[in-house]
Amino acid sequence: MPAPERIPPGRLTDAELVTLLTEGRLTVLGQVRGASNAVLYCSVAYEDEEAACVYKPVAGEQPLWDFPDGTLAQREVAAYAISESTGWGLIPPTVLRDGPYGQGMCQLWIEAEPPGEDEPGLLALVEDEEPGEGWKAVAFAEVGEGRTALLVHADDPRLRRLAVLDAVINNGDRKGGHLLPAPDGRLYGIDHGVTFHTDDKLRTLLWGWAGEPLPAEAVETLDRLAAELAPGAALVTRLAELITAAEIEALRARVSALRATGLHRQPSGEWPAIPWPPV
Ligand SMILES: Nc1ncnc2c1ncn2[C@@H]1O[C@H](COP(=O)(O)OP(=O)(O)OP(=O)(O)O)[C@@H](O)[C@H]1O
Ligand SMILES: [Mg+2]
């Protein structure tokens, strides 16, 4: 079965970008403000190609109570490996490499394009009880002065794939600010440090399809992914360098559960787990 098409393809292949990110000369140009971990904006140059990237050194990772210290960079690379395996290309090329502040993850910088004035965007807060045409409801939210609004996201096939990917990688932090629409029409998700925990950590804005049947294309993709996660497969060898055996087993179990139900993940509690603030 051929991999699903990317929407649309880029100039350099992802494999070429991985070489650029891995082998290129890394120059730190600045620091992204307001992030919980050290996030450095860099340029990376290799032969006649140059690109902007983020470099998140392991030494700059903020310790978390529920994840072992110094493992977020590997999780970001493992998330990229799964995104590549799906063929959906939802995560920018991400590698593990050495840099001026030691080992860290390096990821292609995506210059996000804000929606035009008449374009709806991916998320919205609306005053209505029901989402409008082309929107999916997430939850009601307090918006101050005792008022509530309905948080909605776009009924967008790229977001729908991302919702499936997040369920697979067990993403604990899918915020609106981590959705980057690129000028070429592709949508990228970023910030996959809190993923692959063995416990259910799914915290996302993308609950709009919860409980609905997975699209046939997603089911085919999960079938292919399950085969690639078989013991001894190349993807598993790669993942074993990045996450623990128990985390790989939990990943297989999540893929199996999605295939068995054929449904988009539903929140495990009474309320959907939503990152706050949502953007
Ligand atoms: N690949 C990328 N392309 C473009 N911008 C990026 C990329 N990676 C990170 N950024 C920018 O840097 C910010 C911080 O990065 P990121 O969210 O990965 O780090 P974090 O330490 O987990 O931050 P946060 O506390 O916001 O979760 C992002 O919100 C985004 O603005
Ligand atoms: Mg984060």
Side-chain angles (χ1 to χ4, degrees):
M1 190 186 333
E5 263 183 52
R6 299 198 171 188
I7 329 173
R11 186 176 62 83
L12 291 183
T13 65
D14 281 32
E16 287 166 336
L17 288 164
V18 163
T19 305
L20 170 66
L21 289 168
T22 311
E23 307 289 332
R25 186 160 32 83
L26 192 62
T27 310
V28 177
L29 301 175
Q31 178 164 9
V32 178
R33 299 249 157 230
S36 31
N37 304 287
V39 181
L40 302 169
Y41 177 75
C42 301
S43 85
V44 64
Y46 181 69
E47 296 177 345
D48 2 337
E49 296 290 350
E50 188 172 349
C53 68
V54 281
Y55 161 49
K56 295 166 84 172
V58 173
E61 289 179 5
Q62 197 62 37
L64 296 170
W65 68 271
D66 49 353
F67 282 83
D69 288 353
T71 64
L72 305 189
Q74 284 107 289
R75 294 171 194 282
E76 299 237 26
V77 178
Y80 173 64
I82 299 296
S83 162
E84 285 306 282
S85 171
T86 61
W88 288 339
L90 288 166
I91 299 182
T94 313
V95 305
L96 213 54
R97 64 165 285 170
D98 205 18
Y101 302 100
Q103 191 77 0
M105 79 76 129
C106 237
Q107 182 175 70
L108 187 70
W109 181 268
I110 304 298
E111 206 55 63
E113 187 150 88
E117 260 179 42
D118 305 328
E119 286 172 351
L122 296 170
L123 297 170
L125 274 169
V126 295
E127 304 271 317
D128 316 302
E129 296 278 308
E130 297 282 334
E133 178 77 26
W135 295 91
K136 303 294 278 184
V138 180
F140 285 99
E142 295 285 338
V143 288
E145 297 167 6
R147 291 184 315 132
T148 58
L150 183 62
L151 181 62
V152 296
H153 64 68
D155 187 2
D156 180 311
R158 302 168 306 172
L159 282 184
R160 193 164 185 169
R161 285 174 165 183
L162 196 57
V164 176
L165 180 68
D166 282 340
V168 167
I169 66 177
N170 199 13
N171 192 351
D173 197 17
R174 173 65 69 207
K175 302 191 261 235
H178 296 161
L179 303 173
L180 303 183
D184 66 4
R186 264 170 85 167
L187 177 76
Y188 292 96
I190 56 160
D191 195 12
H192 303 102
V194 290
T195 49
F196 298 103
H197 202 285
T198 51
D199 298 343
D200 180 10
K201 295 273 177 187
L202 186 58
R203 214 156 54 116
T204 174
L205 288 175
L206 305 179
W207 287 115
W209 297 277
E212 289 185 28
L214 292 165
E217 182 244 3
V219 172
E220 284 165 18
T221 301
L222 290 169
D223 290 347
R224 216 180 38 243
L225 181 59
E228 290 188 28
L229 288 173
L235 177 61
V236 175
T237 308
R238 176 72 184 125
L239 289 173
E241 297 163 0
L242 302 166
I243 57 176
T244 67
E247 287 166 346
I248 295 175
E249 205 45 60
L251 165 65
R252 287 195 185 107
R254 288 190 300 273
V255 173
S256 298
L258 285 166
R259 294 170 72 216
T261 63
L263 303 175
H264 278 277
R265 263 295 311 271
Q266 281 177 289
S268 43
E270 194 176 336
W271 301 102
I274 295 175
W276 205 261
V279 175

